[in-house]
Amino acid sequence: MTKIDLLIRNAKELLTLSSSFKDASGLGIIPNGAIAVREGRIFWIGRTDQLPGDFVLCPEGREIDAKGKVVMPGLIDSHTHLIFAGSRENEFEQRVQGLSYLEIAGRGGGILSTVEATRKASFAELFSLGKKRLNRLLSTGVTTIEAKSGYGLSLEDELKILRVMKALQKDHPVDIVPTFLGAHAIPKEFKDERSKYINLLVQEMIPEAAREGLAEFCDVFCEEKAFSIEESREILETGKRHGLKPKIHADQLSPGGGAELAAELGAYSADHLEYVSQKGMERMAEKGVTAVLLPGASFFLSMGIYPPAREMIERGVSVSLSTDLNPGSSMTESLPLMMTMGCLFYRMTPQEVVQATTIHAAKSMGRGEEIGSLDTGKKADVLVLDIPNYKYFPYHFGVDHVKTVIKEGKIVHKGPKLYTDSVP
Ligand code: NIG
Ligand code: FE
């Protein structure tokens, strides 16, 4: 007799994303699939008709009948700016009326306006805003996110943001992988003394964030109007010396060699990449740097320019898709919407957008052994979708298909009750 905490059976398509179940779809699909969970991990996975006969559900155990549904790994959002205060709908209106993102930033809006609001906000306010965003992410099927600081830009305010993340991590089922992004912009008090801010980053902020164990990654906004290649190299190398793994916002608004720098430094990911060069793609493929693409940002900024996703995939670069959740360039928590955009803007296939939000997203944050695929011993982060097959997920867009979200074997979210459910 084997005690089981959670049993999912009869899934029409069980997407494992695991090489143990290789198939023509590339997603390792088990038809009529089942999963047995014990102590938060996958204990057994296979066809429902092959479930071992000695499995017994614990008294408090749960059973889910996934008949006619798709079951897959919980989604992973590999690039968010989770913690910020205020909102920028006025800038949104100005952009609709014709001003550009950079023009607005030049007039005192942009990142620095959110920095002002975030500095003023208390720990409790930021915690409550972050919790609401995590709840929205969870309701779209997300079970792990990467989250960047970057709206504090002083030692105290960056640490405040990272501590809010740590507190949310303890309070909320969605796992948070924290990234220090003190190099998001030059704060206004250092406007004419950028090298002093770089020194502050390198000498105080990075060492302190690392010392307190508040960040796992270090990121830089490497861009003509933000941090140069040389500054980015110095910041990321300092991060590495303090045990922070590198990531980089690269080639978003102009071509700048960010992808090449990501490869040189052995970064886990290079993100955005609208203006990536041929050389940059080549180097990323060689070094195994994941491309984190953010279709919400080019959509929301009406950029009309897209990163060469197909070319990257053909060169063997792992491509991840994420929301870039932030108040300026991508105000959304919907990763499923990014999947649809990935298909339509980047010409990624439904199979590729599923990989981009699971296994490749896990790789971009060094979590490939634990999450992003379903196999024996992995975390039981599982999504049950009320759709007939995986291609349907990006196809029927802008609506909620989530039936159940399971985090480490526990049911943490159930899809909305439909009107017919509430009729007596
Ligand atoms: O990822 N690229 C840098 N930062 C954000 C935008 C931040 C903002 O406008 O507040 C981004 O697009
Ligand atoms: Fe970003």
Side-chain angles (χ1 to χ4, degrees), residues 8 10 16-17 46 51 67 70 83 86 113 121 142 172 205 267 274 277-278 283 308 333 344 347 367 373 396:
I8 304 172
N10 304 325
T16 67
L17 282 293
L51 263 168
K67 190 162 185 286
V70 168
I83 304 300
S113 67
V142 171
H172 200 277
M205 293 165 77
E274 275 78 359
S277 69
Q278 291 291 326
R283 301 278 291 123
E333 288 96 347
L344 297 176
R347 300 282 148 202
R367 294 285 200 279
S373 59
H396 189 165

Side-chain angles (χ1 to χ4, degrees), residues 79 81 88 101 111 151 184 221 249 252 272 324 326 328-329:
H79 180 137
H81 302 254
R88 310 217 307 256
Y101 179 73
I111 295 175
Y151 289 111
H184 193 195
F221 187 14
H249 278 70
Q252 177 188 7
H272 285 286
D324 196 15
N326 78 75
S329 67

